[in-house]
Amino acid sequence: MDVLKKVPVKEQDAKVRAANFQEVCLGYNKEEAMEEATRCINCKNAQCIKGCPVSINIPGFIEKVKEGKIEEAYQIISESSALPAVCGRVCPQESQCEGKCIRGIKGEALSIGKLERFVADYARENGIRPQGAEKKNGKKVAVIGSGPSGLTCAGDLAKLGYEVTIFEALHEPGGVLVYGIPEFRLPKSAVVAKEIENVKALGVKIETNVVVGKSVTIDELLEEEGFDAVYIGSGAGLPKFMGIPGEQANGVFSANEYLTRSNLMKAFDENSNTPIMRGKKVAVVGGGNVAMDAARTALRLGAEVHVVYRRSEEELPARVEEVHHAKEEGIIFNLLTNPTEILEDEKGWVKGIRCIKMELGEPDASGRRRPVEIPGSEFDMEVDTVIMSLGTSPNPLISSTTKGLEVNKRKCIVADEEFGKTPKEGVYAGGDAVTGAATVILAMGAGRAGARGIHEYLQNK
Amino acid sequence: MYKILEAKELAANIFYMVVEAKRVAKACKPGQFVIVRAAEDSERIPLTICDYDAEKGTVTIVFQIVGAGTLMMSGLKAGDAFHDFVGPLGCPSEFVEEDLETLKNKKLLFVAGGVGTAPVYPQVKWLHEHGIEADVIVGAKTKDLLILEEEMKAVAGNLYVTTDDGSYGRSGMVTQTITDLVEEGKHYDVCVAIGPMIMMKFVCKLTKELEIPTVVSLNPIMVDGTGMCGACRVTIDGEVKFACVDGPEFDGHKVNFDEAMQRQQIYKTAEGRAYLAAKEGATHHGGCGNCGN
């Protein structure tokens, strides 16, 4: 064994998986996990814990894996994370826990994400569940949104004895875990649904089909329905469009629509009652994880797929692993390229996309080099489908219907970072609703902070 | 699950159901809609609300069979249940927020086409309950397809019924009746038109000439109905709006109808059109953007 390298993880072959929706990464088995765990040098002042937004006791659980005591490893992870099977799969570990791993200085970091995933999968397959509160404390908390942030907050509060109800606008709980991240990265019924079952097993109630701001307001929950506190984890689900000519043509979709149809409504399955456009040649505009998800979905639906991104490969905001997977599967990257117009035929269907070449100029406020158009470099690409993946912002529905909440200029709800406290008494918020679109694990960290804030508030009330 | 308390066929392929949905019923206002899923694997289908009763916790929907989803729904009976029933969605009609005294001084005209009669009903009823009697034109293709006539009569000021083939009431399209009423000396301050997209387009063309401000309720393709996907985007006065959160009601004189009708066709394949023709036959009311009706 080469201690400088990760124990490799099995994956579906690129050619095979490009034509199916089954999970790409197959995960470690027990032997492989135990072997990888021996690479951990059990640092005293473990940097990896600092890199984890929910501060999992990483050397602690890895020590148990090393000994083959997987159930004990699971209980250690559960102290900090409600969704380990999810996080082990979708966290950008390279910039979090694994980014800080001492092993990474010389050679490859420890495969913390894959080990967490193994432990969580093992626990699920062997019926091991997190432990709930022994006694209820009689206080009620409402959680708005059943994404990673809301689920974490609800789980933590339930463990502390609160009676928690989550209100979810869609017909299924999970937020971006069910409508956004595709099956081939995060299996829905096998993984997500089971983790949500674990949260319910802690005593959390989930009421679906409730659009807070329309079906009921936060003020009504506090004043009429007897909730003592509210946590807002409603996410950032409002898609952006470019505002270029032709964007209303048939065949232009937001990544949210395309992925919701495929993931939540199962439109990838030919027998689904929800249709999806199966294009022959698809352009995905954008370079984030959502763009990779949309591109790889379109590929699996049979299309030739181009990712059109205005900066260069170095600036791609998507995870390195996702870009790598996308390339392996045959996604074509058109970098330093920006659309200026969607071309439509006489019946209003997309027939192409007009682009302009870009070059990188001086760094902008975000520190990234600003892309600048190269005059006269326009060219047309023939495509029949365009998926806009330009990012999302928080939906104003909740902030506009709740007295006393504040939003900043990016429409994000204003809340403090440490406890998620908003200016409105008893109302806490976190996740993408506060930060704008970020990561699953940051949303979970915020949910955890919100639970701490609410506990502090209600204990002293 | 959302229990169906009453289910009946109002006219050929047009169904009426009273559904138990306490939260929706309590929060509901005229002009809003719901999204339903009949079964666990069903598509999400937006439907306008026909009536609601906050005390009983019920919401009434009316829908027409236009495809596989609504065909499946039409098979549900009293005692069955919808798997999902979410709402109320969208913004309430503007008049709900308006000052009642100002509103009482306005002459209002409602124009309903086909199944569009159902969403017009709660608006006219709300006005009636607040002491305002609005004139209503209801258009149907033939007498057999006329729905909610008695209910509408009970809440409308003057009710004018027109059928395309003249089999009942006045004869011709709703636009003919609007023209006739204005020529007879009627004056209207506001017109609200709800029906197939093509009907709303032609009503707007006419009311623009007649200088009657007109509100329409758009029915684009929707998925979530909460503003997270933009499937329902429409262009209003050159600006992109999401019908599910910014609407569904808009200033009819600012709507880009041609684009909206074109966007309704995204998932209409050749087979789908054939299915519609076979299933609906002569009852197809247009609005599909394909048939020219």
Side-chain angles (χ1 to χ4, degrees), chain A residues 159-172:
Chain A
K159 282 187 206 163
L160 291 167
Y162 291 91
E163 193 184 311
V164 185
T165 305
I166 301 182
F167 295 96
E168 167 57 46
L170 290 172
H171 58 261
E172 229 175 88

Side-chain angles (χ1 to χ4, degrees), chain B residues 40-213:
Chain B
E40 205 182 348
D41 61 350
S42 296
E43 187 177 4
R44 293 171 69 93
I45 298 176
L47 296 172
T48 22
I49 292 164
C50 174
D51 205 357
Y52 51 89
D53 187 325
E55 267 170 41
K56 289 187 191 145
T58 58
V59 175
T60 306
I61 51 171
V62 169
F63 62 91
Q64 184 172 24
I65 299 176
V66 289
T70 38
L71 177 65
M72 192 263 174
M73 268 165 54
S74 70
L76 298 174
K77 302 271 171 277
D80 293 342
F82 279 91
H83 197 276
D84 299 290
F85 196 96
V86 57
L89 301 169
C91 299
S93 304
E94 248 173 55
F95 61 73
V96 175
E97 310 290 335
E98 227 174 304
D99 174 58
L100 267 183
E101 289 312 307
T102 321
L103 197 58
K104 276 180 185 158
N105 290 324
K106 285 187 183 170
K107 279 300 282 174
L108 303 170
L109 173 67
F110 285 81
V111 183
V115 209
T117 311
V120 164
Y121 176 70
Q123 305 203 12
V124 178
K125 185 182 168 190
W126 187 94
L127 289 165
H128 175 75
E129 283 167 355
H130 289 81
I132 299 162
E133 306 300 323
D135 281 3
V136 180
I137 300 171
V138 171
K141 200 149 194 167
T142 69
K143 181 174 191 266
D144 302 343
L145 292 169
L146 183 66
I147 57 168
L148 303 170
E149 188 189 7
E150 288 309 312
E151 290 85 345
M152 196 68 95
K153 201 177 274 173
V155 294
N158 299 299
L159 176 66
Y160 307 95
V161 175
T162 178
T163 48
D164 294 5
D165 63 354
S167 53
Y168 185 70
R170 296 179 177 226
S171 174
M173 307 281 177
V174 289
T175 40
Q176 186 58 52
T177 302
I178 299 174
T179 309
D180 292 347
L181 291 177
V182 170
E183 277 174 9
E184 286 162 24
K186 289 264 190 182
H187 169 81
Y188 295 107
D189 297 300
V190 181
C191 169
V192 177
I194 308 179
M197 207 79 98
I198 192 81
M199 168 230 147
M200 293 190 282
K201 177 185 167 175
F202 282 106
V203 167
C204 287
K205 204 168 159 231
L206 175 65
T207 57
K208 197 163 186 185
E209 284 164 22
L210 297 172
E211 295 178 0
I212 307 171

Side-chain angles (χ1 to χ4, degrees), chain A residues 111-122:
Chain A
S111 210
I112 300 167
K114 301 282 188 287
L115 287 173
E116 180 189 22
R117 169 191 161 144
F118 164 73
V119 171
D121 287 356
Y122 177 94

Side-chain angles (χ1 to χ4, degrees), chain A residues 116-428:
Chain A
E116 180 189 22
R117 169 191 161 144
F118 164 73
V119 171
D121 287 356
Y122 177 94
R124 184 179 64 248
E125 282 151 20
N126 291 281
I128 302 162
R129 294 204 147 169
Q131 277 142 23
E134 285 172 12
K135 222 169 87 204
K136 292 278 173 201
N137 64 20
K139 286 179 181 157
K140 279 173 73 178
V141 180
V143 172
I144 319 302
S146 65
S149 187
L151 286 171
T152 301
C153 184
D156 278 10
L157 288 168
K159 282 187 206 163
L160 291 167
Y162 291 91
E163 193 184 311
V164 185
T165 305
I166 301 182
F167 295 96
E168 167 57 46
L170 290 172
H171 58 261
E172 229 175 88
V176 76
L177 309 176
V178 296
Y179 76 75
I181 303 172
E183 187 74 18
F184 53 81
R185 281 219 287 143
L186 187 62
K188 305 290 161 253
S189 53
V191 175
V192 180
K194 295 280 162 48
E195 297 233 298
I196 292 171
E197 283 306 314
N198 281 346
V199 175
K200 281 193 194 167
L202 296 171
V204 173
K205 275 185 250 157
I206 303 182
E207 205 182 318
T208 52
N209 295 324
V210 180
V211 184
V212 172
K214 290 286 179 192
S215 313
V216 66
T217 63
I218 286 179
D219 292 307
E220 286 167 345
L221 290 174
L222 288 168
E223 288 156 23
E224 296 170 25
E225 298 200 18
F227 287 97
D228 299 294
V230 175
Y231 178 76
I232 305 169
S234 52
L238 201 71
K240 289 179 186 151
F241 286 91
M242 291 187 82
I244 55 175
E247 221 169 359
Q248 297 289 86
N250 287 4
V252 182
F253 305 94
S254 72
N256 263 11
E257 177 185 354
Y258 196 74
L259 290 170
T260 299
R261 285 179 180 276
S262 182
N263 300 329
L264 178 69
M265 306 310 296
K266 316 267 180 258
F268 68 83
D269 182 341
E270 301 241 357
N271 298 318
S272 167
N273 288 307
T274 299
I276 192 163
M277 191 163 142
R278 290 167 189 260
K280 288 195 176 66
K281 202 169 161 186
V282 177
V284 177
V285 182
N289 286 317
V290 177
M292 297 307 127
D293 287 344
R296 296 172 71 199
T297 297
L299 180 98
R300 284 161 171 76
L301 292 173
E304 174 187 313
V305 184
H306 294 253
V307 168
V308 177
Y309 179 58
R310 63 195 180 124
R311 299 181 202 241
S312 69
E313 175 150 3
E314 232 173 87
E315 289 84 16
L316 278 172
R319 286 187 67 190
V320 176
E321 185 179 329
E322 301 311 317
V323 176
H324 175 69
H325 278 151
K327 282 186 176 170
E328 274 185 339
E329 288 163 12
I331 307 274
I332 302 155
F333 284 76
N334 296 89
L335 302 166
L336 289 165
T337 304
N338 205 31
T340 57
E341 185 181 350
I342 313 284
L343 309 168
E344 43 190 310
D345 68 16
E346 65 285 355
K347 286 191 168 161
W349 290 78
V350 173
K351 66 170 185 183
I353 179 168
R354 181 156 296 159
C355 296
I356 188 160
K357 293 269 188 197
M358 311 291 279
E359 59 188 356
L360 293 180
E362 295 299 310
D364 62 13
S366 75
R368 292 190 299 179
R369 291 177 68 192
R370 203 164 58 89
V372 186
E373 292 182 354
I374 302 173
S377 67
E378 287 94 347
F379 68 100
D380 293 349
M381 271 170 77
E382 199 184 299
V383 295
D384 58 13
T385 308
V386 179
I387 300 169
M388 292 294 178
S389 178
L390 311 160
T392 51
S393 59
N395 194 321
L397 199 55
I398 286 174
S399 50
S400 67
T401 55
T402 309
K403 284 177 279 180
L405 276 187
E406 274 176 35
V407 290
N408 64 22
K409 62 178 190 297
R410 293 185 299 129
K411 304 267 165 59
C412 300
I413 293 173
V414 176
D416 82 40
E417 216 173 288
E418 204 185 348
F419 294 114
K421 192 170 166 29
T422 73
K424 186 178 171 75
E425 197 192 328
V427 178
Y428 292 74

